[in-house]
Every structure is written in C-alpha cells, then in structure tokens.
Amino acid sequence: MPTQITLAKGLNMGLRKAMENDPKVLIMGEDVGKLGGVFRVTDGLQKDFGEDRVLDTPLAESGIVGTAIGLALRGYRPVVEIQFDGFVYPAFDQIVSQLAKMHMRSLGHVKLPVTIRIPYGGGIGAVEHHSESPEAYFAHTAGLKVVSCSNPVDAYWMIQQSIACDDPVIFFEPKRRYWDKAELDESATPHPLFAARVVRPGGDVTLVAYGPMVKVCLDAAAAAEEENRSLEVIDLRSLSPLDVDAVCRSVERTGRLVVVHEAPVFLGMGAEIAARVTERCFYSLEAPVLRVGGFHTPYPPSRLEEDYLPDLDRVLDAVDRSLAY
C-alpha cells in the first residue's frame, strides 16, 4: 500500500531499512542522536538502534570523516551527516586526500563504503555556510561517487543504494525540498543509482537539472505547455558518474539543451555537460547549450537569495533564447 511521505521522512525510512538489513551500518554526526538531526532526518534512530550505532559526535568534521574511514577499513558501513553544506570544508582533506584515493592506492584491495550526507542549496532563508552548493568540488574528484535526490521516493531508495555501494558516496540532499511530499510504494523496483531519469517527456527543448532545481524545471515545463512548447525534463540524479548517454539521447531528438543548477555557472556541472553534449551531439544541436545557475559570488544574505537562485522566469528566458536560434 503506497504511503505519503516527505523527502526527509524518505531518508529516515531508508536509513532505518539499511540499519535493519545490515548490523555494520552506523550513523555519525553532530546532533544526529538525541536530537535526531537539525532537519530530523535521523529522528528516532538512536532510540531504536542504540548509542553504539547512532553516534553524536563533537563539532569536528575532519575527525568525523577520519573516524568513518577507519571504521570502513574495519568492515563497517558508516553514514556521516554533515550538518550543513558549508561545514564540509574542514573535512575536505580527509575526503579528497584519503577517502577518494585509498581504493586505487591499495590496488583495489581496500573498499571504502562510506556515505557522506550533505544537506545543500539555498531557499530556506539561511546565510552563507548554510546554503551553498559545493557538489562540483566532489564530482571533480576521481574516486568518489556523487549523487543527489530530488524527491521523496528517490530519497528512500537512493540512500539505501548509496549505503550498499562499496565506493564512497557523497549524498547531496536538497534541504529546501525536505518537506515536499510524494507517494512511496516500498514494493516497487528502484531505479539504478547512477542513472538519470526522464521525469517529463517533451520534444522542443531538453532541460537537465538535479536536486532542488528539478521541481523548478518541471514547473517551467508546465508553464511552457500553456504556450504550446514541449519541454523534456531530465533528473540527472548522479553527478559522478554522469549519465551522458541519457542526456544525449534526448538532445538528439530536441536539438536544444538548457542545464539548470543552483551552484554558480562558472566551472559548474553545466560546463561539463555542455562540453560533453557539444562533443557528441554537435550535428544535432540547433542552438548552443545554455546554462542557468547561481552567480559567481559568495552566497548572499537571505533577503537577496530570491534574486540569486535560478527561478522559473530565468529558466523560461533561457528556453526562449534557445528557441530563438
């Protein structure tokens, strides 16, 4: 029987399922135990699984990730929560210099099944360090898998698939979507973790997004339909590896592509996607690949974030410019 859940509840249920299925799964982070996390994603898990499996840690992100690496080397599957996106930087050295490299450094003999959950993005009225989009740093780093859910159903399945993965996974959670709702059927077959998905078919322009921007693109597609424009929306879901095949299949039909993300456009995921699609689909393109994203500035004060974040109007403006060629 399908049940209605929020994205945060989907994560909570997925974490619970993973802990029930594997006693080696541990959760670590600041306030994840007694408080249940600042967004309540781990609510009730310490009560049900105990303080040995849901650990409240000091405010020391480098130490949290370093400890998780040690636990993974001893056969555990740690799930680390970084409380806010901007707090991950103290752990950057552990992630990039150690976690990402150990598998290759050991000639494949060592597996590092560590999942690092990072609430990211803006839209909740928070300031810098609490509203950032650092995904490109990690997608650029070989040895890491990087994914982002955009809806409650994917949250439920993708967190379990990430924990089951033998490679380190950076799991980005769109915090402004924590309260979005959807129907979950736990008997359904989940979509592959590292595959993109067409969430709205269309024939005129392809919109590619991930995380919080998928809903913005779906809203834009619905608005464009009123003007008899058919926009196809692709949810990337995985940023590394990147499902370029799914994007190219769509672009070869529509001839036009707009990439949308919250992170600054400069050297962001859109730049990589634009390059790949241009290399593979050059003779199918009717217009240059366009990008819609954040500006190349530090994240602004909350009263200005609506001017900073990509919205429906900016997406539709890019669609207009693409169709004008």
Side-chain angles (χ1 to χ4, degrees):
M1 175 76 70
T3 54
Q4 190 172 72
I5 60 168
T6 63
L7 191 150
K9 183 63 177 177
L11 290 167
N12 179 276
M13 292 172 65
L15 289 168
R16 178 179 293 277
K17 195 79 171 175
M19 296 185 79
E20 288 173 348
N21 291 340
D22 186 349
K24 293 292 188 182
V25 175
L26 308 176
I27 294 176
M28 310 166 58
E30 299 157 4
D31 295 323
V32 299
K34 287 183 172 56
L35 181 65
V38 293
F39 295 105
R40 303 298 187 269
V41 169
T42 54
D43 189 35
L45 298 181
Q46 189 183 69
K47 172 177 168 292
D48 294 340
F49 292 96
E51 296 183 8
D52 290 339
R53 295 188 65 192
V54 183
L55 293 84
D56 279 319
T57 66
L59 306 183
E61 287 79 8
S62 180
I64 297 169
V65 174
T67 303
I69 292 172
L71 285 164
L73 291 171
R74 299 294 296 175
Y76 290 89
R77 290 185 179 272
V79 182
V80 169
E81 177 180 301
I82 301 296
Q83 202 167 64
F84 283 92
D85 34 60
F87 299 177
V88 73
Y89 303 126
F92 196 75
D93 180 55
Q94 289 284 1
I95 296 171
V96 172
S97 300
Q98 308 301 333
L99 182 63
K101 293 181 168 60
M102 281 196 179
H103 182 68
M104 182 167 286
R105 189 184 292 160
S106 68
L107 301 179
H109 294 294
V110 172
K111 299 184 186 306
L112 270 297
V114 177
T115 301
I116 299 179
R117 298 179 36 240
I118 305 178
Y120 81 118
I124 63 167
V127 295
E128 62 175 77
H129 302 316
H130 297 72
S131 297
E132 299 180 11
S133 299
E135 62 270 22
Y137 294 133
F138 300 101
H140 179 72
T141 302
L144 300 176
K145 302 286 194 292
V146 182
V147 301
S148 178
C149 58
S150 68
N151 61 76
V153 175
D154 268 356
Y156 174 74
W157 292 114
M158 289 174 69
I159 191 64
Q160 294 181 68
Q161 293 168 316
S162 296
I163 294 169
C165 180
D166 284 335
D167 294 321
V169 177
I170 311 298
F171 192 97
F172 282 100
E173 302 169 5
K175 65 171 82 77
R176 71 158 124 165
R177 303 295 177 212
Y178 273 142
W179 304 275
D180 288 2
K181 295 179 179 178
E183 296 282 334
L184 171 67
D185 180 0
E186 293 184 75
S187 65
T189 301
H191 200 67
L193 178 60
F194 302 119
R197 176 194 284 142
V198 176
V199 291
R200 180 183 173 116
D204 294 334
V205 178
T206 300
L207 299 182
V208 167
Y210 54 89
M213 285 293 106
V214 173
K215 184 175 187 305
V216 173
C217 288
L218 288 170
D219 291 344
E225 188 176 31
E226 296 176 5
E227 298 179 355
N228 296 317
R229 289 176 172 176
S230 173
L231 309 186
E232 179 149 297
V233 181
I234 295 179
D235 181 356
L236 274 183
R237 303 174 76 250
S238 175
L239 309 185
S240 180
L242 193 57
D243 189 356
V244 180
D245 290 344
V247 178
C248 288
R249 281 195 298 271
S250 177
V251 172
E252 285 167 356
R253 287 191 297 101
T254 65
R256 293 176 169 83
L257 172 63
V258 176
V259 186
V260 184
H261 51 61
E262 272 193 33
V265 165
F266 183 70
L267 290 179
M269 289 299 304
E272 178 66 21
I273 295 167
R276 296 283 193 99
V277 169
T278 302
E279 288 167 358
R280 288 184 45 175
C281 306
F282 183 76
Y283 291 106
S284 299
L285 286 168
E286 301 288 344
V289 179
L290 299 180
R291 295 170 290 163
V292 179
F295 302 107
H296 196 210
T297 68
Y299 198 82
S302 57
R303 66 180 181 279
L304 296 177
E305 71 175 351
E306 293 304 321
D307 296 316
Y308 174 88
L309 293 170
D311 60 10
L312 185 144
D313 288 339
R314 285 173 60 189
V315 173
L316 290 178
D317 175 68
V319 169
D320 287 344
R321 287 187 283 124
S322 179
L323 288 168
Y325 279 90

